């Protein structure tokens, strides 16, 4: 039985954690221009930097909300099932993906929008190799976790499968919204933020699927007492990390997920 004192201490840690997250993630005046520079805008104007900072602020507040929610979710699943079907890293990635998807789905207010004759497609912001790599990882994760659910008769494995499928839906919903929403009056700013809005979710979604796939392989390895499956699980998660890095650049996490802007994307 958890006493009142324990609840007060836990609440205190939660408040401190939220405060620290906000301090670390809160974008500064230089965050906007830095984000734009990383996404192809070499010399951002003051107004472009301001709008990019607001773009970051909206997402990072959502990061904090979903990261805080991820903690009790991880604890509840661990207590209910006796083990986590993917590590806290998985919850972290899922929280960030959910925040990005919700942010891009929300309409942007207070900015001038313009019509454009050029029809944009998801392929304009997501190269085919990115979509192929992501979908392969999603299908593999769902398939192996399905085997875990069938062989072990574990209902929680089906929850993990549903989460992988939901994450894939969120990735492409975010990409579709990134290309479907009306263009900003500033074409350079519009292009940079549109690319980032599509690339960050697919990078997070790929790493999340790799985390689930690695967890499923690890579970099968435990059941079969196979060290090889454990090694493969680590290798898969390493591949996911590399793909994430290539798609959105992990080194620029605090700057808004730097990415490479291909010259052909308009």
């Amino acid at each position: 039985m958890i006493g009142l004192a324990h609840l007060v201490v836990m609440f205190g840690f939660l408040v401190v954690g939220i405060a620290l997250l906000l301090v670390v993630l809160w974008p500064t005046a230089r965050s906007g221009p830095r984000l734009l520079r990383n996404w192809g805008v070499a010399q951002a104007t003051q107004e472009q930097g301001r709008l990019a900072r607001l773009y970051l602020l909206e997402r990072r507040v959502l990061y904090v909300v979903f990261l805080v929610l991820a903690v009790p979710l991880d604890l509840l699943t661990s207590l209910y099932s006796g083990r986590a079907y993917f590590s806290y890293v998985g919850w972290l990635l899922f929280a960030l993906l959910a925040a990005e998807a919700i942010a891009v789905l929300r309409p942007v207010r207070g900015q001038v929008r313009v019509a454009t004759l050029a029809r944009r497609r998801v392929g304009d912001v997501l190269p085919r190799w990115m979509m192929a790599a992501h979908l392969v990882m999603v299908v593999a994760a769902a398939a192996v976790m399905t085997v875990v659910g069938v062989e072990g008769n574990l209902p929680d494995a089906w929850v993990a499968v549903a989460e992988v499928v939901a994450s894939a839906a969120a990735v492409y919903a975010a990409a579709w919204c990134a290309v479907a929403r009306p263009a900003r009056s500033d074409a350079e700013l519009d292009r940079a933020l549109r690319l980032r809005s599509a690339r960050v979710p697919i990078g997070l979604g790929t790493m999340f699927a790799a985390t689930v796939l690695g967890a499923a392989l690890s579970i099968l390895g435990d059941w079969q007492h196979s060290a090889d499956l454990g090694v493969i699980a680590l290798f898969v998660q390493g591949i996911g990390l590399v793909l994430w890095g290539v798609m959105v650049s992990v080194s620029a996490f605090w700057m808004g997920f730097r990415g490479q802007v291909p010259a052909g994307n308009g």
Side-chain angles (χ1 to χ4, degrees):
M1 190 74 179
I2 299 177
L4 179 61
H6 289 88
L7 289 175
V8 171
V9 171
M10 291 172 63
F11 180 75
F13 276 115
L14 181 63
V15 171
V16 171
I18 293 173
L20 287 174
L21 279 173
L22 285 172
V23 169
V24 171
L25 293 174
W26 198 267
T28 65
R30 291 184 293 181
S31 298
R34 188 186 298 132
L35 177 144
L36 294 176
R37 185 166 59 251
N38 292 332
W39 286 97
V41 181
Q43 297 293 330
T45 65
Q46 185 175 359
E47 179 64 11
Q48 286 176 330
R50 184 187 70 82
L51 293 175
R53 181 171 180 264
L54 290 176
Y55 170 96
L56 273 181
L57 178 61
E58 180 183 53
R59 280 154 177 77
R60 290 183 178 181
V61 169
L62 286 171
Y63 290 172
V64 173
V65 171
F66 279 92
L67 287 174
V68 170
L69 290 176
V71 175
L73 282 174
D74 183 55
L75 291 174
L76 286 173
T77 54
S78 298
L79 290 173
Y80 175 72
S81 62
R83 68 173 297 163
Y85 278 82
F86 40 89
S87 65
Y88 185 71
V89 173
W91 286 114
L92 169 71
L93 294 169
F94 193 76
L96 295 179
L97 175 59
E100 282 289 337
I102 288 177
V104 79
L105 289 170
R106 292 180 60 192
V108 179
R109 298 181 177 87
Q111 297 178 34
V112 177
R113 297 287 173 162
V114 296
T116 176
L117 296 177
R119 185 175 181 179
R120 290 181 294 267
R121 301 167 300 172
V122 170
D124 293 332
V125 291
L126 294 181
R128 290 180 181 176
W129 73 264
M130 279 192 189
M131 291 188 282
H134 172 250
L135 290 174
V136 166
M137 199 67 76
V138 167
V139 171
V144 178
M145 192 57 84
T146 297
V147 172
V148 170
V150 172
E151 290 191 0
N153 193 24
L154 299 173
D156 290 344
W158 301 110
V159 175
V161 172
E163 287 168 342
V164 172
V165 174
S167 74
V171 164
Y172 294 104
W176 181 83
C177 286
V179 298
R181 62 171 41 186
R184 301 167 190 262
S185 56
D186 187 328
E188 194 176 31
L189 175 71
D190 179 76
R191 176 175 175 269
L193 298 186
R194 199 181 294 275
L195 277 172
R196 185 197 177 277
S197 295
R199 297 286 179 84
V200 170
I202 198 170
L204 291 169
T206 302
M207 185 59 201
F208 176 71
T211 302
V212 176
L213 176 56
L217 290 170
S218 180
I219 293 170
L220 291 177
D222 290 344
W223 289 350
Q224 300 174 12
H225 304 288
S226 171
D228 291 340
L229 282 176
V231 173
I232 294 173
L234 291 175
F235 178 75
V236 165
Q237 294 190 46
I239 292 294
L241 186 62
V242 170
L243 288 172
W244 181 23
V246 171
M247 291 175 182
V248 298
S249 181
V250 176
S251 64
F253 182 89
W254 307 115
M255 298 185 289
F257 299 90
R258 182 177 62 191
Q260 190 67 31
V261 181
N265 285 351

